[in-house]
Amino acid sequence: MSKLPPAALVYGPKVPFSDELHATKYRLPNEPFREAMNRIAAPLTDSDAHFHDFRDTIADMRFLPAGRVQAAIGTSKRVTAQNCYVSGTIEDSFVDGPGSIMARAMEAAATMRMGGGIGYDFSTLRPRGALIKKLMSQSSGPVSFMEIFDAVCRCTSSSGHRRGAQMGVLRVDHPDIEEFIHAKQNETKLRGFNISIAATDEFMRAVRDDLPFDLRFGGTVYRTIDARALWDSIMRSTWDWAEPGVLFIDTMNRMNNLWYCEVVCATNPCAEQILPPFGACLLGSFNLTRYLRRDSAGNLYFDFAQYEADIPGVVRAMDNVVDVSLYPLPEQEAEARSKRRMGLGVTGLANTAECLGMPYGSPAFLAFEDKVLRLLTRTAYMASVDLAIEKGPFPLFDAEKYCQSEFIKTLDADVQERIRKHGIRNSHLTSIAPTGTISLCADNISSSIEPVFSYEFDRTVIEFGGARVETVQDWAYREHGVRGKKCSQVTVDEHLAVLCTAQRHIDSAVSKTCNIDSSVPWEDFKNVYMRAWENGAKGCTTFRVDGKRGGILVEKPAQETIDAPDETTGDPKKPGGSCTFDPLTGRRSCE
């Protein structure tokens, strides 16, 4: 095992902007970084040795717990440490019953008020114009009801913990799919939502084979359409407006470790977590840049031994979050405790690989990405088995059915055998989140598995005494003089290869944005999504900087600012809204 000497530990961000951002978003008033790490580690560790190991891992920023964990654990705030949730099933009723539209809206308010992002499947609501027998009137359709949840998001975000974040999903075979596609082609409506289409295998085959496709609800076919025409409409919207995203819902369910006891219909706001009704998940990412070392000749190398050694302690600590966290709803707590999901991922991949001489998307880069994620998944699963031996498997574990999961079958044979013999503590263990804010806090490392967007940019820091502008440089450029391949230089094929390489080793989903410009031919653009589906991805999102939404953002950029915290609560003052894409940094974030 490789162990860092104490002198090598540099606690907290070195870049002033990053330290101030971290203090504003995740620390208590006047709380030093190291004390914050003590606060987080203490409730999440099982022994003195575990405390010191995990505390050092997060203090050295080798592991970055997601924002909700850092802001909630060890504080007296009534906020949740779980990053994200999916709503309970929305029943096709406005006010009648516990699952009605208004009841779910109240639950959403409670969830966002405590800092949780939330996703919804609106496919359960009857289409516009359908008869409501009880009232002898017509339904206004799911898109109209989304406006209620949008208003709830705007209202509850003022509670101060963070801006609200929501994901709205509609199945591609819903009769109102065309209205849904066009719902956000503006700058005024549904601003509290990201939206995604749940594309079925049936639909994708119909597009590929040029077949007709039925739109249906409740067993009734409303009309039959041209699948390719609908696909073109979806693609045109994503080309111009960067939405809707596309979720490959059948792949999600087919590869789900819990295929035998749940059906997933929606995701969290940034789509890295596939969750059932009332599903909950916590996130965290290994900062790969912190595993770069120099050998005796001064050459950089990646310390795989230290990386592997850190994973079990992180799994143990994150498993404890399930028990320590507060939950907005009892149903969410029951769901979390019965399955004990977590989503561990990585960030800083581009910076790390390119400092080692591997250009983004190159064969060497993909091989490094494959090795890093393969080791993460293997080690995390083994650590979870060890926890099951010590503490027991998650309550809904069924050895035979769990080991029949299409994803579990991809694991090494010895991992499968240990799961079958001893059980496993956590139903899911891996996820690739956008990591926009925590990557900025970690001295502006490249976020998640995305390429570098720019080598430097200006940020505004708003203090009580006024504002100042600070130039923030890319970590690899600042620390090593490495100019990585910028997003504008990455090809569509390279984006897709990085996405699909990651998905092979991730049991949940990968949140990745394929950034493109107008030089990409229209047919090549459409093929990104088709090829993602064919290669096993669970979803795909694109962003065209010179598109209609991009043009608006570039003209009047939504800069990340550090606001002075509220004097009473210590929380940052942030407006409501969906997950954001920042054109200055290329970062996507729901934090």
mmCIF file of all heavy atoms in Angstrom, residues 143 146 170-186 190 195-198 203 215 223 225 227 229-239 241-246 549:
data_model
loop_
_atom_site.group_PDB
_atom_site.id
_atom_site.type_symbol
_atom_site.label_atom_id
_atom_site.label_comp_id
_atom_site.label_asym_id
_atom_site.label_seq_id
_atom_site.Cartn_x
_atom_site.Cartn_y
_atom_site.Cartn_z
ATOM 1 N N VAL A 143 -47.719 18.334 -19.558
ATOM 2 C CA VAL A 143 -46.872 19.528 -19.646
ATOM 3 C C VAL A 143 -47.463 20.674 -18.832
ATOM 4 O O VAL A 143 -46.741 21.422 -18.165
ATOM 5 C CB VAL A 143 -46.652 19.945 -21.117
ATOM 6 C CG1 VAL A 143 -45.910 21.276 -21.195
ATOM 7 C CG2 VAL A 143 -45.883 18.860 -21.867
ATOM 8 N N MET A 146 -46.713 20.181 -15.227
ATOM 9 C CA MET A 146 -45.314 20.445 -14.884
ATOM 10 C C MET A 146 -45.135 21.876 -14.386
ATOM 11 O O MET A 146 -44.226 22.157 -13.594
ATOM 12 C CB MET A 146 -44.411 20.190 -16.090
ATOM 13 C CG MET A 146 -44.251 18.730 -16.456
ATOM 14 S SD MET A 146 -43.294 18.498 -17.976
ATOM 15 C CE MET A 146 -41.678 19.080 -17.484
ATOM 16 N N LEU A 170 -40.693 12.216 -19.809
ATOM 17 C CA LEU A 170 -41.896 11.715 -20.467
ATOM 18 C C LEU A 170 -41.493 10.618 -21.430
ATOM 19 O O LEU A 170 -40.510 10.746 -22.173
ATOM 20 C CB LEU A 170 -42.613 12.837 -21.232
ATOM 21 C CG LEU A 170 -44.065 12.513 -21.654
ATOM 22 C CD1 LEU A 170 -44.990 12.546 -20.432
ATOM 23 C CD2 LEU A 170 -44.567 13.502 -22.698
ATOM 24 N N ARG A 171 -42.242 9.534 -21.422
ATOM 25 C CA ARG A 171 -41.968 8.428 -22.342
ATOM 26 C C ARG A 171 -42.200 8.872 -23.784
ATOM 27 O O ARG A 171 -43.102 9.659 -24.078
ATOM 28 C CB ARG A 171 -42.870 7.231 -22.031
ATOM 29 C CG ARG A 171 -42.422 6.400 -20.828
ATOM 30 C CD ARG A 171 -43.399 5.270 -20.564
ATOM 31 N NE ARG A 171 -43.482 4.351 -21.702
ATOM 32 C CZ ARG A 171 -42.766 3.230 -21.806
ATOM 33 N NH1 ARG A 171 -41.914 2.894 -20.854
ATOM 34 N NH2 ARG A 171 -42.923 2.440 -22.854
ATOM 35 N N VAL A 172 -41.390 8.330 -24.670
ATOM 36 C CA VAL A 172 -41.458 8.719 -26.076
ATOM 37 C C VAL A 172 -42.755 8.269 -26.735
ATOM 38 O O VAL A 172 -43.165 8.828 -27.761
ATOM 39 C CB VAL A 172 -40.233 8.165 -26.832
ATOM 40 C CG1 VAL A 172 -40.347 6.647 -27.026
ATOM 41 C CG2 VAL A 172 -40.014 8.878 -28.161
ATOM 42 N N ASP A 173 -43.446 7.281 -26.148
ATOM 43 C CA ASP A 173 -44.699 6.813 -26.732
ATOM 44 C C ASP A 173 -45.928 7.493 -26.133
ATOM 45 O O ASP A 173 -47.064 7.131 -26.439
ATOM 46 C CB ASP A 173 -44.825 5.291 -26.614
ATOM 47 C CG ASP A 173 -44.635 4.775 -25.192
ATOM 48 O OD1 ASP A 173 -44.633 5.582 -24.244
ATOM 49 O OD2 ASP A 173 -44.471 3.542 -25.032
ATOM 50 N N HIS A 174 -45.737 8.502 -25.275
ATOM 51 C CA HIS A 174 -46.871 9.238 -24.712
ATOM 52 C C HIS A 174 -47.479 10.134 -25.799
ATOM 53 O O HIS A 174 -46.750 10.771 -26.564
ATOM 54 C CB HIS A 174 -46.423 10.083 -23.526
ATOM 55 C CG HIS A 174 -47.550 10.643 -22.720
ATOM 56 N ND1 HIS A 174 -48.284 11.740 -23.133
ATOM 57 C CD2 HIS A 174 -48.079 10.267 -21.523
ATOM 58 C CE1 HIS A 174 -49.213 12.009 -22.229
ATOM 59 N NE2 HIS A 174 -49.108 11.124 -21.231
ATOM 60 N N PRO A 175 -48.799 10.225 -25.883
ATOM 61 C CA PRO A 175 -49.430 11.041 -26.937
ATOM 62 C C PRO A 175 -49.036 12.520 -26.918
ATOM 63 O O PRO A 175 -49.156 13.197 -27.938
ATOM 64 C CB PRO A 175 -50.929 10.857 -26.663
ATOM 65 C CG PRO A 175 -51.023 9.525 -25.992
ATOM 66 C CD PRO A 175 -49.801 9.427 -25.142
ATOM 67 N N ASP A 176 -48.567 13.036 -25.774
ATOM 68 C CA ASP A 176 -48.191 14.446 -25.698
ATOM 69 C C ASP A 176 -46.697 14.676 -25.904
ATOM 70 O O ASP A 176 -46.171 15.740 -25.567
ATOM 71 C CB ASP A 176 -48.596 15.032 -24.341
ATOM 72 C CG ASP A 176 -50.087 15.307 -24.235
ATOM 73 O OD1 ASP A 176 -50.815 14.990 -25.196
ATOM 74 O OD2 ASP A 176 -50.537 15.809 -23.196
ATOM 75 N N ILE A 177 -46.020 13.700 -26.489
ATOM 76 C CA ILE A 177 -44.570 13.791 -26.603
ATOM 77 C C ILE A 177 -44.126 15.010 -27.415
ATOM 78 O O ILE A 177 -43.114 15.651 -27.098
ATOM 79 C CB ILE A 177 -43.978 12.482 -27.183
ATOM 80 C CG1 ILE A 177 -42.448 12.490 -27.093
ATOM 81 C CG2 ILE A 177 -44.440 12.246 -28.599
ATOM 82 C CD1 ILE A 177 -41.898 12.580 -25.690
ATOM 83 N N GLU A 178 -44.878 15.356 -28.455
ATOM 84 C CA GLU A 178 -44.461 16.502 -29.279
ATOM 85 C C GLU A 178 -44.569 17.814 -28.509
ATOM 86 O O GLU A 178 -43.692 18.688 -28.625
ATOM 87 C CB GLU A 178 -45.288 16.542 -30.568
ATOM 88 C CG GLU A 178 -44.906 15.420 -31.517
ATOM 89 C CD GLU A 178 -46.082 14.904 -32.339
ATOM 90 O OE1 GLU A 178 -47.191 14.797 -31.791
ATOM 91 O OE2 GLU A 178 -45.857 14.623 -33.519
ATOM 92 N N GLU A 179 -45.615 17.980 -27.716
ATOM 93 C CA GLU A 179 -45.732 19.170 -26.877
ATOM 94 C C GLU A 179 -44.579 19.216 -25.878
ATOM 95 O O GLU A 179 -44.008 20.287 -25.615
ATOM 96 C CB GLU A 179 -47.076 19.165 -26.133
ATOM 97 C CG GLU A 179 -47.273 20.399 -25.260
ATOM 98 C CD GLU A 179 -48.570 20.356 -24.461
ATOM 99 O OE1 GLU A 179 -49.310 19.354 -24.550
ATOM 100 O OE2 GLU A 179 -48.827 21.339 -23.734
ATOM 101 N N PHE A 180 -44.211 18.083 -25.330
ATOM 102 C CA PHE A 180 -43.118 17.994 -24.362
ATOM 103 C C PHE A 180 -41.793 18.410 -25.008
ATOM 104 O O PHE A 180 -40.996 19.142 -24.396
ATOM 105 C CB PHE A 180 -43.029 16.565 -23.835
ATOM 106 C CG PHE A 180 -41.990 16.348 -22.765
ATOM 107 C CD1 PHE A 180 -42.226 16.712 -21.454
ATOM 108 C CD2 PHE A 180 -40.766 15.746 -23.073
ATOM 109 C CE1 PHE A 180 -41.274 16.494 -20.472
ATOM 110 C CE2 PHE A 180 -39.813 15.516 -22.103
ATOM 111 C CZ PHE A 180 -40.069 15.896 -20.790
ATOM 112 N N ILE A 181 -41.559 17.947 -26.223
ATOM 113 C CA ILE A 181 -40.309 18.279 -26.925
ATOM 114 C C ILE A 181 -40.141 19.789 -27.039
ATOM 115 O O ILE A 181 -39.043 20.330 -26.872
ATOM 116 C CB ILE A 181 -40.296 17.634 -28.328
ATOM 117 C CG1 ILE A 181 -40.184 16.117 -28.222
ATOM 118 C CG2 ILE A 181 -39.152 18.190 -29.188
ATOM 119 C CD1 ILE A 181 -40.482 15.391 -29.521
ATOM 120 N N HIS A 182 -41.234 20.488 -27.302
ATOM 121 C CA HIS A 182 -41.168 21.933 -27.549
ATOM 122 C C HIS A 182 -41.355 22.773 -26.291
ATOM 123 O O HIS A 182 -41.277 23.998 -26.356
ATOM 124 C CB HIS A 182 -42.236 22.324 -28.572
ATOM 125 C CG HIS A 182 -42.079 21.634 -29.896
ATOM 126 N ND1 HIS A 182 -40.968 21.789 -30.686
ATOM 127 C CD2 HIS A 182 -42.894 20.762 -30.559
ATOM 128 C CE1 HIS A 182 -41.099 21.047 -31.785
ATOM 129 N NE2 HIS A 182 -42.251 20.417 -31.731
ATOM 130 N N ALA A 183 -41.552 22.117 -25.143
ATOM 131 C CA ALA A 183 -41.961 22.842 -23.937
ATOM 132 C C ALA A 183 -40.941 23.871 -23.462
ATOM 133 O O ALA A 183 -41.299 24.898 -22.877
ATOM 134 C CB ALA A 183 -42.252 21.855 -22.811
ATOM 135 N N LYS A 184 -39.642 23.623 -23.701
ATOM 136 C CA LYS A 184 -38.613 24.554 -23.206
ATOM 137 C C LYS A 184 -37.907 25.303 -24.333
ATOM 138 O O LYS A 184 -36.808 25.829 -24.139
ATOM 139 C CB LYS A 184 -37.592 23.805 -22.346
ATOM 140 C CG LYS A 184 -38.104 23.416 -20.968
ATOM 141 C CD LYS A 184 -36.982 22.927 -20.079
ATOM 142 C CE LYS A 184 -36.007 24.041 -19.749
ATOM 143 N NZ LYS A 184 -34.897 23.583 -18.877
ATOM 144 N N GLN A 185 -38.540 25.397 -25.469
ATOM 145 C CA GLN A 185 -37.930 26.144 -26.574
ATOM 146 C C GLN A 185 -38.230 27.632 -26.410
ATOM 147 O O GLN A 185 -38.846 28.276 -27.244
ATOM 148 C CB GLN A 185 -38.427 25.601 -27.917
ATOM 149 C CG GLN A 185 -37.929 24.201 -28.197
ATOM 150 C CD GLN A 185 -38.438 23.654 -29.519
ATOM 151 O OE1 GLN A 185 -39.183 24.308 -30.234
ATOM 152 N NE2 GLN A 185 -38.039 22.440 -29.856
ATOM 153 N N ASN A 186 -37.782 28.154 -25.276
ATOM 154 C CA ASN A 186 -38.009 29.548 -24.897
ATOM 155 C C ASN A 186 -37.099 29.833 -23.709
ATOM 156 O O ASN A 186 -36.384 28.954 -23.241
ATOM 157 C CB ASN A 186 -39.481 29.771 -24.526
ATOM 158 C CG ASN A 186 -39.925 28.831 -23.422
ATOM 159 O OD1 ASN A 186 -39.572 29.014 -22.262
ATOM 160 N ND2 ASN A 186 -40.696 27.801 -23.782
ATOM 161 N N LEU A 190 -40.830 26.706 -17.596
ATOM 162 C CA LEU A 190 -40.233 25.501 -17.008
ATOM 163 C C LEU A 190 -38.748 25.687 -16.734
ATOM 164 O O LEU A 190 -37.936 24.784 -16.940
ATOM 165 C CB LEU A 190 -40.469 24.289 -17.916
ATOM 166 C CG LEU A 190 -41.935 23.939 -18.218
ATOM 167 C CD1 LEU A 190 -42.020 22.708 -19.110
ATOM 168 C CD2 LEU A 190 -42.735 23.717 -16.931
ATOM 169 N N ILE A 195 -35.292 18.579 -18.832
ATOM 170 C CA ILE A 195 -36.257 17.611 -19.337
ATOM 171 C C ILE A 195 -35.552 16.562 -20.188
ATOM 172 O O ILE A 195 -34.560 16.855 -20.865
ATOM 173 C CB ILE A 195 -37.399 18.280 -20.135
ATOM 174 C CG1 ILE A 195 -36.879 19.000 -21.387
ATOM 175 C CG2 ILE A 195 -38.188 19.229 -19.250
ATOM 176 C CD1 ILE A 195 -37.994 19.489 -22.320
ATOM 177 N N SER A 196 -36.055 15.349 -20.103
ATOM 178 C CA SER A 196 -35.506 14.234 -20.879
ATOM 179 C C SER A 196 -36.633 13.330 -21.356
ATOM 180 O O SER A 196 -37.659 13.176 -20.685
ATOM 181 C CB SER A 196 -34.530 13.410 -20.042
ATOM 182 O OG SER A 196 -33.321 14.105 -19.824
ATOM 183 N N ILE A 197 -36.401 12.733 -22.515
ATOM 184 C CA ILE A 197 -37.349 11.774 -23.084
ATOM 185 C C ILE A 197 -36.886 10.358 -22.754
ATOM 186 O O ILE A 197 -35.703 10.027 -22.932
ATOM 187 C CB ILE A 197 -37.450 11.959 -24.602
ATOM 188 C CG1 ILE A 197 -38.186 13.255 -24.913
ATOM 189 C CG2 ILE A 197 -38.152 10.796 -25.276
ATOM 190 C CD1 ILE A 197 -38.113 13.667 -26.358
ATOM 191 N N ALA A 198 -37.799 9.543 -22.265
ATOM 192 C CA ALA A 198 -37.505 8.135 -22.020
ATOM 193 C C ALA A 198 -37.731 7.380 -23.331
ATOM 194 O O ALA A 198 -38.864 7.069 -23.703
ATOM 195 C CB ALA A 198 -38.393 7.579 -20.913
ATOM 196 N N PHE A 203 -38.867 2.154 -29.850
ATOM 197 C CA PHE A 203 -38.782 3.390 -30.623
ATOM 198 C C PHE A 203 -37.446 3.503 -31.359
ATOM 199 O O PHE A 203 -37.417 3.870 -32.544
ATOM 200 C CB PHE A 203 -38.964 4.596 -29.705
ATOM 201 C CG PHE A 203 -38.754 5.912 -30.397
ATOM 202 C CD1 PHE A 203 -39.670 6.370 -31.327
ATOM 203 C CD2 PHE A 203 -37.634 6.694 -30.124
ATOM 204 C CE1 PHE A 203 -39.478 7.586 -31.983
ATOM 205 C CE2 PHE A 203 -37.434 7.900 -30.768
ATOM 206 C CZ PHE A 203 -38.359 8.351 -31.698
ATOM 207 N N LEU A 215 -48.295 6.021 -30.602
ATOM 208 C CA LEU A 215 -48.379 6.815 -29.379
ATOM 209 C C LEU A 215 -49.611 6.332 -28.631
ATOM 210 O O LEU A 215 -50.710 6.271 -29.186
ATOM 211 C CB LEU A 215 -48.495 8.307 -29.695
ATOM 212 C CG LEU A 215 -47.343 8.917 -30.511
ATOM 213 C CD1 LEU A 215 -47.561 10.408 -30.685
ATOM 214 C CD2 LEU A 215 -45.996 8.629 -29.872
ATOM 215 N N ARG A 223 -52.576 7.574 -31.826
ATOM 216 C CA ARG A 223 -52.283 7.743 -33.240
ATOM 217 C C ARG A 223 -50.963 7.048 -33.576
ATOM 218 O O ARG A 223 -50.156 6.764 -32.678
ATOM 219 C CB ARG A 223 -52.229 9.223 -33.632
ATOM 220 C CG ARG A 223 -51.151 10.040 -32.999
ATOM 221 C CD ARG A 223 -51.349 11.529 -33.360
ATOM 222 N NE ARG A 223 -50.253 12.366 -32.929
ATOM 223 C CZ ARG A 223 -50.111 12.853 -31.707
ATOM 224 N NH1 ARG A 223 -51.018 12.555 -30.778
ATOM 225 N NH2 ARG A 223 -49.080 13.624 -31.397
ATOM 226 N N ILE A 225 -47.484 7.336 -35.820
ATOM 227 C CA ILE A 225 -46.675 8.389 -36.421
ATOM 228 C C ILE A 225 -45.471 7.800 -37.152
ATOM 229 O O ILE A 225 -45.178 6.610 -37.043
ATOM 230 C CB ILE A 225 -46.180 9.385 -35.346
ATOM 231 C CG1 ILE A 225 -45.285 8.643 -34.350
ATOM 232 C CG2 ILE A 225 -47.347 10.054 -34.643
ATOM 233 C CD1 ILE A 225 -44.467 9.559 -33.477
ATOM 234 N N ALA A 227 -41.761 7.341 -37.066
ATOM 235 C CA ALA A 227 -40.758 7.382 -35.997
ATOM 236 C C ALA A 227 -39.606 8.317 -36.344
ATOM 237 O O ALA A 227 -39.120 9.070 -35.486
ATOM 238 C CB ALA A 227 -40.230 5.975 -35.723
ATOM 239 N N ALA A 229 -39.644 10.937 -38.241
ATOM 240 C CA ALA A 229 -40.071 12.336 -38.170
ATOM 241 C C ALA A 229 -40.057 12.822 -36.723
ATOM 242 O O ALA A 229 -39.623 13.949 -36.433
ATOM 243 C CB ALA A 229 -41.459 12.491 -38.780
ATOM 244 N N LEU A 230 -40.512 11.974 -35.799
ATOM 245 C CA LEU A 230 -40.473 12.337 -34.383
ATOM 246 C C LEU A 230 -39.023 12.469 -33.908
ATOM 247 O O LEU A 230 -38.674 13.396 -33.170
ATOM 248 C CB LEU A 230 -41.217 11.298 -33.547
ATOM 249 C CG LEU A 230 -41.255 11.558 -32.031
ATOM 250 C CD1 LEU A 230 -41.940 12.894 -31.730
ATOM 251 C CD2 LEU A 230 -41.953 10.417 -31.302
ATOM 252 N N TRP A 231 -38.192 11.553 -34.344
ATOM 253 C CA TRP A 231 -36.777 11.587 -33.979
ATOM 254 C C TRP A 231 -36.121 12.885 -34.465
ATOM 255 O O TRP A 231 -35.363 13.520 -33.727
ATOM 256 C CB TRP A 231 -36.073 10.374 -34.556
ATOM 257 C CG TRP A 231 -34.608 10.218 -34.210
ATOM 258 C CD1 TRP A 231 -33.556 10.222 -35.070
ATOM 259 C CD2 TRP A 231 -34.052 9.990 -32.911
ATOM 260 N NE1 TRP A 231 -32.376 10.028 -34.392
ATOM 261 C CE2 TRP A 231 -32.654 9.878 -33.059
ATOM 262 C CE3 TRP A 231 -34.604 9.877 -31.627
ATOM 263 C CZ2 TRP A 231 -31.800 9.655 -31.985
ATOM 264 C CZ3 TRP A 231 -33.747 9.659 -30.549
ATOM 265 C CH2 TRP A 231 -32.375 9.549 -30.735
ATOM 266 N N ASP A 232 -36.440 13.288 -35.680
ATOM 267 C CA ASP A 232 -35.891 14.543 -36.209
ATOM 268 C C ASP A 232 -36.337 15.731 -35.369
ATOM 269 O O ASP A 232 -35.573 16.683 -35.157
ATOM 270 C CB ASP A 232 -36.322 14.748 -37.661
ATOM 271 C CG ASP A 232 -35.454 13.969 -38.642
ATOM 272 O OD1 ASP A 232 -34.439 13.391 -38.209
ATOM 273 O OD2 ASP A 232 -35.790 13.948 -39.849
ATOM 274 N N SER A 233 -37.569 15.686 -34.884
ATOM 275 C CA SER A 233 -38.074 16.766 -34.039
ATOM 276 C C SER A 233 -37.304 16.831 -32.720
ATOM 277 O O SER A 233 -36.944 17.913 -32.242
ATOM 278 C CB SER A 233 -39.570 16.559 -33.774
ATOM 279 O OG SER A 233 -40.092 17.586 -32.968
ATOM 280 N N ILE A 234 -37.050 15.664 -32.136
ATOM 281 C CA ILE A 234 -36.263 15.608 -30.900
ATOM 282 C C ILE A 234 -34.856 16.136 -31.144
ATOM 283 O O ILE A 234 -34.320 16.955 -30.387
ATOM 284 C CB ILE A 234 -36.206 14.162 -30.363
ATOM 285 C CG1 ILE A 234 -37.608 13.662 -29.989
ATOM 286 C CG2 ILE A 234 -35.270 14.066 -29.157
ATOM 287 C CD1 ILE A 234 -37.672 12.161 -29.734
ATOM 288 N N MET A 235 -34.249 15.670 -32.227
ATOM 289 C CA MET A 235 -32.874 16.060 -32.535
ATOM 290 C C MET A 235 -32.776 17.557 -32.842
ATOM 291 O O MET A 235 -31.822 18.218 -32.445
ATOM 292 C CB MET A 235 -32.343 15.249 -33.714
ATOM 293 C CG MET A 235 -32.142 13.757 -33.424
ATOM 294 S SD MET A 235 -30.879 13.436 -32.163
ATOM 295 C CE MET A 235 -31.883 13.237 -30.677
ATOM 296 N N ARG A 236 -33.749 18.089 -33.544
ATOM 297 C CA ARG A 236 -33.726 19.510 -33.856
ATOM 298 C C ARG A 236 -33.797 20.347 -32.583
ATOM 299 O O ARG A 236 -33.127 21.386 -32.456
ATOM 300 C CB ARG A 236 -34.884 19.863 -34.796
ATOM 301 C CG ARG A 236 -34.964 21.332 -35.182
ATOM 302 C CD ARG A 236 -33.698 21.839 -35.855
ATOM 303 N NE ARG A 236 -33.450 21.176 -37.136
ATOM 304 C CZ ARG A 236 -32.368 21.408 -37.873
ATOM 305 N NH1 ARG A 236 -31.437 22.250 -37.451
ATOM 306 N NH2 ARG A 236 -32.206 20.758 -39.016
ATOM 307 N N SER A 237 -34.594 19.896 -31.621
ATOM 308 C CA SER A 237 -34.704 20.622 -30.362
ATOM 309 C C SER A 237 -33.388 20.576 -29.586
ATOM 310 O O SER A 237 -32.947 21.585 -29.019
ATOM 311 C CB SER A 237 -35.843 20.050 -29.510
ATOM 312 O OG SER A 237 -36.021 20.796 -28.326
ATOM 313 N N THR A 238 -32.757 19.422 -29.541
ATOM 314 C CA THR A 238 -31.479 19.329 -28.823
ATOM 315 C C THR A 238 -30.393 20.115 -29.545
ATOM 316 O O THR A 238 -29.508 20.701 -28.916
ATOM 317 C CB THR A 238 -31.039 17.866 -28.661
ATOM 318 O OG1 THR A 238 -30.822 17.276 -29.949
ATOM 319 C CG2 THR A 238 -32.077 17.057 -27.919
ATOM 320 N N TRP A 239 -30.452 20.156 -30.869
ATOM 321 C CA TRP A 239 -29.489 20.926 -31.665
ATOM 322 C C TRP A 239 -29.596 22.415 -31.338
ATOM 323 O O TRP A 239 -28.603 23.099 -31.125
ATOM 324 C CB TRP A 239 -29.755 20.666 -33.145
ATOM 325 C CG TRP A 239 -28.997 21.485 -34.134
ATOM 326 C CD1 TRP A 239 -29.389 22.651 -34.727
ATOM 327 C CD2 TRP A 239 -27.697 21.197 -34.677
ATOM 328 N NE1 TRP A 239 -28.432 23.104 -35.607
ATOM 329 C CE2 TRP A 239 -27.381 22.230 -35.598
ATOM 330 C CE3 TRP A 239 -26.769 20.173 -34.493
ATOM 331 C CZ2 TRP A 239 -26.185 22.271 -36.315
ATOM 332 C CZ3 TRP A 239 -25.576 20.210 -35.212
ATOM 333 C CH2 TRP A 239 -25.288 21.245 -36.105
ATOM 334 N N TRP A 241 -31.690 23.874 -28.727
ATOM 335 C CA TRP A 241 -31.967 24.282 -27.354
ATOM 336 C C TRP A 241 -31.283 23.426 -26.283
ATOM 337 O O TRP A 241 -31.493 23.653 -25.088
ATOM 338 C CB TRP A 241 -33.484 24.259 -27.110
ATOM 339 C CG TRP A 241 -34.216 25.266 -27.935
ATOM 340 C CD1 TRP A 241 -34.821 25.073 -29.138
ATOM 341 C CD2 TRP A 241 -34.377 26.653 -27.628
ATOM 342 N NE1 TRP A 241 -35.373 26.238 -29.607
ATOM 343 C CE2 TRP A 241 -35.122 27.238 -28.698
ATOM 344 C CE3 TRP A 241 -33.994 27.466 -26.567
ATOM 345 C CZ2 TRP A 241 -35.468 28.586 -28.707
ATOM 346 C CZ3 TRP A 241 -34.330 28.807 -26.589
ATOM 347 C CH2 TRP A 241 -35.067 29.354 -27.648
ATOM 348 N N ALA A 242 -30.500 22.416 -26.688
ATOM 349 C CA ALA A 242 -29.781 21.540 -25.754
ATOM 350 C C ALA A 242 -30.720 20.681 -24.906
ATOM 351 O O ALA A 242 -30.283 20.037 -23.959
ATOM 352 C CB ALA A 242 -28.852 22.349 -24.845
ATOM 353 N N GLU A 243 -31.970 20.662 -25.206
ATOM 354 C CA GLU A 243 -32.958 19.822 -24.536
ATOM 355 C C GLU A 243 -34.037 19.441 -25.544
ATOM 356 O O GLU A 243 -34.265 20.189 -26.510
ATOM 357 C CB GLU A 243 -33.592 20.565 -23.346
ATOM 358 C CG GLU A 243 -32.657 20.718 -22.162
ATOM 359 C CD GLU A 243 -33.380 21.241 -20.934
ATOM 360 O OE1 GLU A 243 -33.597 22.462 -20.847
ATOM 361 O OE2 GLU A 243 -33.733 20.412 -20.074
ATOM 362 N N PRO A 244 -34.718 18.331 -25.320
ATOM 363 C CA PRO A 244 -34.575 17.410 -24.193
ATOM 364 C C PRO A 244 -33.373 16.478 -24.338
ATOM 365 O O PRO A 244 -32.911 16.208 -25.447
ATOM 366 C CB PRO A 244 -35.890 16.599 -24.257
ATOM 367 C CG PRO A 244 -36.241 16.593 -25.714
ATOM 368 C CD PRO A 244 -35.813 17.942 -26.233
ATOM 369 N N GLY A 245 -32.897 15.998 -23.189
ATOM 370 C CA GLY A 245 -31.938 14.906 -23.205
ATOM 371 C C GLY A 245 -32.663 13.611 -23.556
ATOM 372 O O GLY A 245 -33.905 13.575 -23.606
ATOM 373 N N VAL A 246 -31.911 12.570 -23.809
ATOM 374 C CA VAL A 246 -32.499 11.283 -24.162
ATOM 375 C C VAL A 246 -32.021 10.224 -23.173
ATOM 376 O O VAL A 246 -30.815 10.051 -22.964
ATOM 377 C CB VAL A 246 -32.131 10.864 -25.599
ATOM 378 C CG1 VAL A 246 -32.733 9.491 -25.922
ATOM 379 C CG2 VAL A 246 -32.637 11.903 -26.600
ATOM 380 N N ARG A 549 -29.951 28.401 -27.262
ATOM 381 C CA ARG A 549 -29.733 28.604 -25.830
ATOM 382 C C ARG A 549 -28.289 29.015 -25.570
ATOM 383 O O ARG A 549 -28.006 29.878 -24.760
ATOM 384 C CB ARG A 549 -30.080 27.345 -25.043
ATOM 385 C CG ARG A 549 -29.903 27.497 -23.545
ATOM 386 C CD ARG A 549 -30.773 26.534 -22.766
ATOM 387 N NE ARG A 549 -32.179 26.864 -22.896
ATOM 388 C CZ ARG A 549 -33.169 25.964 -22.840
ATOM 389 N NH1 ARG A 549 -32.884 24.692 -22.692
ATOM 390 N NH2 ARG A 549 -34.419 26.335 -22.953
#
